[in-house]
Amino acid sequence: MLLPSCRMVHVARPLLLLLAVFLRADAETPPRFTRTPVDQTGVSGGVASFICQATGDPRPKIVWNKKGKKVSNQRFEVIEFDDGSGSVLRIQPLRTPRDEAIYECVASNNVGEISVSTRLTVLREDQIPRGFPTIDMGPQLKVVERTRTATMLCAASGNPDPEITWFKDFLPVDTSNNNGRIKQLRSGIDFSPSSLSLLFNVLSMFVMS
């Protein structure tokens, strides 16, 4: 009477192990980009920041390459997102022509690997075209008490109308995932007296409470 019982246990154990393997394999997914870097044009002596994020299971590892080789330079800094979803490649100060290149973000895990490329163009001061974005008013250092609201201002001009992006500790600020503590307000004002060379002054307010 005990023999069938022993056989059931002996057969069930490999089946359970096989089922666990299938479940584990089914849960793993290859990397997929959720945010990819965009081509940028910077000025010699300035800064460039490329953003790359990916999802997958296991969580993908992000690597930045320049001309097929992993970036390694004192002026090149890779800042990881706190949640491990990706990183920012920050280059400062920009040098021309040595920094002009195709940069590649590679996301990989044990299921697969994907990559995306972006181009960096670096201009000399005498190459800056009319209407190129300039920061007219940068944010100032703020000291506020805890639980108080801090407001920082940034104004830029250019043609076409420039877009302002805020960074905190070199990482882009996500205003949609902070329980309403951080808000970005934007306004556009025509300040040029000439209608032939219309410029816009973009004022962006960064509010943290």
Side-chain angles (χ1 to χ4, degrees):
M1 296 295 293
L2 295 178
L3 185 56
S5 176
C6 291
R7 288 181 178 175
M8 289 179 63
V9 173
H10 181 71
V11 174
R13 185 174 299 168
L15 287 175
L16 289 175
L17 292 176
L18 186 60
L19 179 60
V21 171
F22 278 131
L23 289 175
R24 178 182 175 84
D26 184 60
E28 293 183 341
T29 57
R32 177 179 60 84
F33 286 120
T34 57
R35 186 169 183 176
T36 55
V38 297
D39 295 349
Q40 292 190 42
T41 300
V43 180
S44 182
V47 59
S49 295
F50 293 102
I51 306 169
C52 188
Q53 291 176 281
T55 185
D57 188 11
R59 177 169 289 167
K61 178 182 178 182
I62 300 289
V63 175
W64 290 92
N65 294 331
K66 176 186 177 184
K67 298 179 179 179
K69 296 182 180 180
K70 186 177 180 180
V71 295
S72 58
N73 190 298
Q74 291 183 349
R75 294 183 298 106
F76 290 64
E77 183 179 8
V78 176
I79 304 99
E80 303 282 345
F81 281 86
D82 294 336
D83 60 2
S85 63
S87 62
V88 172
L89 173 62
R90 178 180 169 88
I91 309 173
Q92 185 184 26
L94 292 174
R95 294 287 182 260
T96 181
R98 70 179 70 175
D99 292 338
E100 289 193 324
I102 299 295
Y103 294 84
E104 184 182 35
C105 171
V106 181
S108 62
N109 59 16
N110 57 14
V111 184
E113 178 179 297
I114 55 175
S115 64
V116 62
S117 298
T118 187
R119 178 185 295 275
L120 174 62
T121 303
V122 183
L123 303 176
R124 301 190 309 269
E125 290 287 343
D126 60 342
Q127 294 177 315
I128 299 176
R130 174 177 292 184
F132 194 83
T134 59
I135 295 180
D136 304 313
M137 179 179 64
Q140 302 296 318
L141 179 64
K142 291 278 186 176
V143 179
V144 296
E145 298 180 11
R146 293 189 62 178
T147 73
R148 298 290 184 177
T149 298
T151 302
M152 287 167 281
L153 304 178
C154 181
S157 59
N159 186 15
D161 190 5
E163 179 180 346
I164 294 177
T165 302
W166 286 88
F167 286 74
K168 178 186 176 185
D169 297 331
F170 304 137
L171 293 173
V173 174
D174 184 2
T175 57
S176 64
N177 188 26
N178 56 76
N179 298 321
R181 291 183 56 249
I182 301 176
K183 298 178 182 178
Q184 182 173 342
L185 308 178
R186 185 178 183 275
S187 64
I189 305 171
D190 175 17
F191 71 96
S192 173
S194 171
S195 59
L196 297 178
S197 57
L198 184 63
L199 295 177
F200 287 91
N201 179 269
V202 178
L203 177 64
S204 178
M205 291 194 302
F206 181 72
V207 182
M208 180 182 296
S209 58

